[in-house]
Amino acid sequence: MSEQPDVVIVGGGIAGASAACKLAAGGLSVVVLEKQEAYKDLVRGEWLAPWGIREARRLGVEDCFWDGGGWEIREWMTWDEAVADDEVEAVDMTGFIPGFGGPMAFPHHAVCELMSEQAVAAGARLEMAAAKITVTPGPRPVVSYGTPLGPRELRPRIVLGATGRGCTVGRQVGITMRNSMHHWGGGMMVEGMDGWPPDVQAMGTEGDVMFMVFPQGYGRARLYLNFPTVNKHRYRGPGGVDRFLAAYELKCLPDHGKAVTAATPAGPLSVWPSVSSVPEGPPLTEGVVLIGDEAGNADTVLGTGLSCALRDSRTVCDILLGSADWSPAAFAPYVEEREFRLERLDFGASIISRLHVEFGPAAVERRRRVRRLMARNFAAQVTGLLNMVAPEEVPEFGFSEFFAERLFRETA
Amino acid sequence: MMEKKTVHVNGVDLAYVDEGEGPPVVLLHGFPDSSYLWRNQIPALVEGGFRVIAPDLRGFGDSGKPQEVEAYGMQTIVNDVVALTMELGVRRPHLVGHDWGAAIAWMYAFLMPRRIDHLVALSVGHPGVFATPSIEQRAASWYMLFYQFPGVSEELLRRNGWRLFKEIMGRDGDHDRYLRDLARPGALTAGLNWYRANRSPASELRITRRFPPVLAPALGIWGAGDKALLEEGMAASGKFVKGPWRYERIEDAGHWLPLDAPDQVNKLLLGFLGTERPAHEERRPRRRL
Ligand SMILES: Cc1cc2nc3c(=O)[nH]c(=O)nc-3n(C[C@H](O)[C@H](O)[C@H](O)COP(=O)(O)OP(=O)(O)OC[C@H]3O[C@@H](n4cnc5c(N)ncnc54)[C@H](O)[C@@H]3O)c2cc1C
């Protein structure tokens, strides 16, 4: 006889593990299948927007973030080749949502581990090193997987697919994505960045890199680079790590970025094509609901994937805990809200990508003009709001073609 | 993890680890630790032929967490230790303390000279030295003042993901566990109450300078990287000890000696406990009528 839990969650990342916490706390029987043997640094998102922190609080998992090493960042310095030294501003990020401070940088895998522990403490079963997962949808879906001790089968009432961009569950149940790629990205954890102010994050563009620095306290920081596809081999192979760090030798940074270039790697370097995926239909089918990146994601440049994963988790858990009806129709509010949200985020991310992840003299000139436009007309900064507050809280006009048109035409 | 038991003594539930057989050693942790602090010492001492008793002091770990400041006076906590050892049938243990646990051990030693064998104080010196702290020590102890404001300190420490608390603690000790421990109901207030009951400016006024001498053989250990407690506190403690006194400085350790330098600490403990003889108790001159 196979085990018949209420819910099987495939993938124990931010989306899956947070859902497991909420559902187990709500009294459902939950099995989480995670492919890693132990949580390790996979180079995922580590910058959580204030609205994502609010989602985490609502899910009852906020403590896992802070205990796992979460660090509040307070200021955003606008270091960029298009910003003159005397125009560099410190943007205060602590006041976007009442009751919440600035965004948080955290070690992703440490937080996933704490969340999975919390889920287990609440009664969930966690199966690490789960391999070759297959999901057959239906009113009583079937999940089979391999363990070191042999194959296993589960027959839950519902499956949550939360395997991230790999879309392992989605592909098996016939949910297809429209993918697009604008640039490439890479990321690495560093330590020994003692010269960098711990309250300050930086995002900017110079030459052929768009750089991000998110401090995590105690001289540690998560670094991300975005760069044109033609450079996709630059940070790979022997010497890749050194070239990655050397890319932070930038005129726009204080001391030409010495605090970063002198830092020590503290995790793997990973380089990937930065893909956005929008599902071609609702991200669910009979007996299966997708959450997190697996349900579609905007370009990572916006830094909202984590917040979305948490929002998905909360919305879906509330439905599961609030009603006995788990048929696809019951998830209509989720599907609708998510579609609206992803549309906005995808739109905003494409604006940010075009503005900040395109390179060369024309792109620099455009960034200068956009800055001037924004200084003149505060409303033009609307896109900047999009990575601090929830998408539905950003004024409508920021998502009109008219706005984008204006932004790019007036600055072309 | 070692199994913990619980007893109700002195009006509070105390959880404790009790391992091994032989002469008893009581290990007292400080803020914001628990008996878990001693995980590297317990097996070594058991192996060395001691019975090791390591309580979670009141307010910490799995022990009771009264919420009133008055419940955390030093005398009360010394009484917890007395009551616990009596309950376990231990008459004259060695006492080893770290941080607040060291302060408790010192006090226990001079209040109850006949109920202690050897004394080992880690990081924190004799309260007599702290009765007249240097301005440098006061500056290093700034956080103790900050912890004094009921409700307010808690909120500021917790705010924005415990940001201030993280800055105060740095990456020392079991920094990655403390938040989880302090998130337990009432734990933060309980921990801060130790400071409120014993380190308020008002309590400084109450300190009397005369301390009975420590007769037990005493060993003080201080880590050169300790940012909270300066060396003067330990080095100058000898003058309050009438028994044999030894001071050891460990170069590459900070405040959390049991974690930073487990092997050296174990070696010092095993080489010291039970090796010396106490000073004789002074006969009080009979008062003439
Ligand atoms: C380099 C990079 C930088 C980013 N930066 C940010 C940022 O700063 N801020 C932000 O908000 N977002 C960022 N994102 C996006 C963010 O990381 C994701 O949106 C978020 O991690 C999605 O969470 P998830 O749980 O859906 O998927 P994932 O984090 O991908 O987790 C999926 C989990 O499922 C497991 N898994 C995968 N396949 C299987 C399988 N077949 N069987 C079992 N388990 C499986 C994985 O091991 C993993 O634990 C970034 C992404 C990348 C790649």
Side-chain angles (χ1 to χ4, degrees), chain A residues 11 14-15 34-35 44-45 47 133 163 168 272 292-293 300 303 305-306:
Chain A
I14 295 291
E34 165 59 46
K35 124 177 127 173
R44 289 289 191 277
W47 183 93
I133 299 177
T163 66
T168 311
W272 71 93
D293 275 4
T300 59
L306 298 161

Side-chain angles (χ1 to χ4, degrees), chain A residues 10-16 33-36 39 42-47 108 130 133 162-165 168 214 224 272 291-294 300 303-307 309:
Chain A
V10 187
I14 295 291
L33 304 176
E34 165 59 46
K35 124 177 127 173
Q36 301 177 77
Y39 284 104
L42 297 174
V43 190
R44 289 289 191 277
E46 303 205 332
W47 183 93
H108 187 113
I133 299 177
T163 66
R165 284 144 196 265
T168 311
F214 300 123
Y224 298 112
W272 71 93
I291 57 173
D293 275 4
E294 175 142 31
T300 59
T304 50
L306 298 161
S307 305

Side-chain angles (χ1 to χ4, degrees), chain A residues 63 66-67 69-74 100-101 114 117 198-199 218 220, chain B residues 159-167 169-171 175-176 179-180 183:
Chain A
D63 284 351
W66 298 117
D67 297 359
W71 184 258
E72 186 204 8
I73 311 180
R74 293 167 178 166
F100 293 81
L114 288 188
E117 278 173 22
D199 282 341
Y218 318 113
R220 295 166 70 84
Chain B
R159 191 160 71 164
N160 298 336
W162 298 82
R163 173 59 192 270
L164 177 61
F165 181 80
K166 287 180 181 181
E167 286 174 302
M169 299 307 283
R171 280 166 77 80
H175 66 93
D176 52 350
L179 295 186
R180 268 177 280 170

Side-chain angles (χ1 to χ4, degrees), chain B residues 255-272:
Chain B
H255 177 67
W256 273 271
L257 289 156
L259 298 172
D260 292 353
D263 295 340
Q264 278 157 287
V265 167
N266 292 349
K267 228 168 124 191
L268 286 170
L269 293 180
L270 289 168
F272 175 72

